[in-house]
Amino acid sequence: MPQIKSQKKRVKTNNKAHKLVVSKKTALKTSIKKVLAAVEANDKDAALAAYNECCSKLDKAVAKGVHHKNYASRQKSRLATAINNIK
C-alpha cells in the first residue's frame, strides 16, 4: 500500500476507472450475445434492433478507448454476416 498521499489517490482513481471499463466491456459483451441469440432464434427484426444498439455501444467503446477500432469493425462485420445469413 502506498504511503504518499498522491499515490493513495492514484490507487483510488485507477480502481474507479477500472470498474468503469469492466462494466462497459460487460455491457458490450451482453449486447453482442443478444444479437447472436436473436440470430439463433431466426428472428431478423429483433437481430437488427439488437445489432443497431450493439453498433452504437461498439462505437462508444472505441471513442472512449475501451477497445481498438479494429475490434469494433471485426465484431460489426461478424454480426452483420450472421444476420444476413438468417433464412
Side-chain angles (χ1 to χ4, degrees):
M1 199 57 202
Q3 300 298 316
I4 300 167
K5 187 175 183 180
S6 62
Q7 293 306 311
K8 288 180 184 178
K9 182 178 179 183
R10 175 57 47 201
V11 168
K12 283 183 181 180
T13 57
N14 284 344
N15 286 337
K16 187 176 178 182
H18 176 71
K19 287 178 184 176
L20 287 173
V21 167
V22 168
S23 69
K24 286 185 187 301
K25 282 186 177 183
T26 303
L28 186 58
K29 288 178 193 175
T30 303
S31 67
I32 290 171
K33 288 177 188 174
K34 283 182 185 177
V35 174
L36 294 175
V39 168
E40 284 291 319
N42 288 328
D43 188 0
K44 194 162 190 167
D45 294 332
L48 284 172
Y51 176 75
N52 290 334
E53 179 187 340
C54 185
C55 285
S56 175
K57 286 186 180 184
L58 280 165
D59 291 337
K60 287 178 185 176
V62 169
K64 295 285 184 180
V66 175
H67 279 294
H68 195 272
K69 64 181 180 177
N70 290 352
Y71 171 83
S73 65
R74 185 176 70 244
Q75 292 298 328
K76 286 182 195 177
S77 175
R78 184 173 73 97
L79 295 173
T81 302
I83 291 171
N84 289 333
N85 288 334
I86 293 176
K87 295 178 182 171

